[in-house]
Structure formats: structure tokens, C-alpha cells
């Protein structure tokens, strides 16, 4: 506090730990979109919650509340989130050592990266669409290169989000490069 006159605003959760729409249980990764909606990786509930600006509760947009597992509609302790310019959501699923791509409104995800990792916690997508993952227990940072079929083209990027030159049929190299 020591001279800090700025107070934060509650934008998600704040009602104690739990699994109802107004609660979070182990929030981890966050993403804020152009409408100021907050996407929260709710780790211990194995889901992603979307909290619209000013909302008092969230909506599950990925995963199944309280149900951990390996199926395409489940997560096991997810930790990080990213979006591309098409609105596709990418979730780092720590317990299943994978990254899942969720299409807007989908009820299941598609595994786009699966690798031998141990406690992957952090994930970022660079401006070229490559993924970088902090593989915590193996003490390393992994890079997964974007692969785009040569016949595809990218439409102009949306003006509301960071520009990532990603083709809609993107895949990622399953062989990682250890960069640190």
C-alpha cells in the first residue's frame, strides 16, 4: 500500500472457492478479449470460464466442471490460455501434457500438441504462431513450430486482436525444440 492510491476491481470470482458459476477454484491463466470479457483457466474445476464485463457469474466455455479426464471434452488441471485471430482458444492441459484447440461454441477440443512434459504451466504463442511452453518439472522451455500447408492463405487479421499470421488449417510440429 505505501502510497498506492489505486485499488483493483473484482472482475471474476471473489465468492470463495467452489464450482458454481459465480466461483472459481484455483484460477490460473487469464485472457482478456477485445470486449473486455475475461477468460479464466479454472484449474481445480478443470474448465475455462468466460466472465463478461460487469458480470457476477461466468459461463463454462471449455472443459467439464469438476470432471478431470483425458477425453476431448475434459481437462486435467489446465493452466494457460491463448487465442488466435480466428477466435480459436488454445488451452494448456497440464495433467494430460497437451494443448487443445477449441473452436468457438464447441463442446470438445482437438489436441494440437501432445508431448512428454512434466508439469507444463506457462504457454505463449509468438507473433508467427509458434507455441512456447514452460515445462516446469523438467526445467526447460519448449518451442513447437507452426506448420501451414503451402496452398492455404491467411485472410487479413482482425483489427481487434494481435496479428498472428496463422492459417486456418494450422498444425504444429510434434517434435519440439528445447530452447532453454
Amino acid at each position: 500500500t505505501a502510497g498506492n492510491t489505486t485499488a483493483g476491481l473484482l472482475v471474476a470470482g471473489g465468492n470463495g472457492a467452489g464450482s458454481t458459476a459465480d466461483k472459481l477454484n484455483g484460477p490460473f491463466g487469464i485472457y482478456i478479449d477485445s470486449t473486455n470479457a475475461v477468460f479464466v483457466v479454472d484449474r481445480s474445476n478443470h474448465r475455462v470460464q468466460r466472465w463478461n464485463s460487469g458480470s457476477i457469474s461466468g459461463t463454462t466455455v471449455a472443459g467439464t466442471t469438476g470432471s478431470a479426464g483425458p477425453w476431448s471434452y475434459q481437462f486435467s488441471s489446465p493452466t494457460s490460455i491463448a487465442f488466435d485471430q480466428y477466435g480459436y482458444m488454445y488451452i494448456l492441459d497440464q495433467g494430460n501434457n497437451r494443448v487443445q484447440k477449441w473452436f468457438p461454441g464447441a463442446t470438445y477440443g482437438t489436441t494440437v500438441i501432445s508431448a512428454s512434459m512434466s508439469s507444463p504451466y506457462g504457454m505463449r504463442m509468438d507473433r508467427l504462431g509458434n507455441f512456447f511452453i514452460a515445462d516446469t518439472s523438467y526445467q526447460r522451455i519448449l518451442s513447437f513450430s507452426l506448420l501451414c500447408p503451402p496452398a492455404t492463405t491467411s485472410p487479413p487479421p482482425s483489427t481487434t486482436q494481435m496479428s498472428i499470421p496463422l492459417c486456418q488449417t494450422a498444425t504444429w510440429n510434434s517434435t519440439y525444440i528445447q530452447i532453454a
Side-chain angles (χ1 to χ4, degrees):
T1 54
N4 182 1
T5 58
T6 305
L9 296 174
L10 178 65
V11 296
N15 299 305
S19 60
T20 57
D22 65 329
K23 296 181 179 182
L24 298 169
N25 189 6
F28 229 80
I30 59 170
Y31 181 88
I32 292 74
D33 74 5
S34 61
T35 68
N36 288 326
V38 178
F39 291 80
V40 181
V41 177
D42 192 8
R43 184 169 188 240
S44 296
N45 280 322
H46 314 287
R47 67 184 180 184
V48 175
Q49 291 286 95
R50 177 189 167 128
W51 294 68
N52 292 323
S53 182
S55 179
I56 60 169
S57 64
T59 303
T60 301
V61 295
T64 304
T65 302
S67 175
W71 301 106
S72 62
Y73 60 90
Q74 294 176 306
F75 296 121
S76 180
S77 300
T79 57
S80 194
I81 185 170
F83 278 81
D84 66 21
Q85 74 263 30
Y86 302 108
Y88 302 148
M89 181 171 43
Y90 299 87
I91 308 298
L92 178 59
D93 186 7
Q94 183 257 321
N96 288 312
N97 296 316
R98 67 184 178 185
V99 174
Q100 279 202 304
K101 177 181 182 178
W102 286 65
F103 296 91
T107 57
Y108 63 92
T110 302
T111 299
V112 294
I113 295 173
S114 181
S116 178
M117 297 182 277
S118 182
S119 299
Y121 286 118
M123 175 184 71
R124 292 290 181 264
M125 183 186 292
D126 72 7
R127 63 181 183 81
L128 299 175
N130 302 309
F131 276 107
F132 295 84
I133 296 175
D135 190 9
T136 307
S137 291
Y138 284 151
Q139 314 301 323
R140 62 187 182 176
I141 306 300
L142 305 176
S143 170
F144 294 88
S145 302
L146 172 70
L147 303 172
C148 265
T152 62
T153 58
S154 295
S158 166
T159 58
T160 58
Q161 293 194 3
M162 179 179 71
S163 176
I164 298 171
L166 191 68
C167 63
Q168 286 185 308
T169 57
T171 60
W172 283 265
N173 190 337
S174 60
T175 304
Y176 61 82
I177 297 171
Q178 183 172 321
I179 61 170

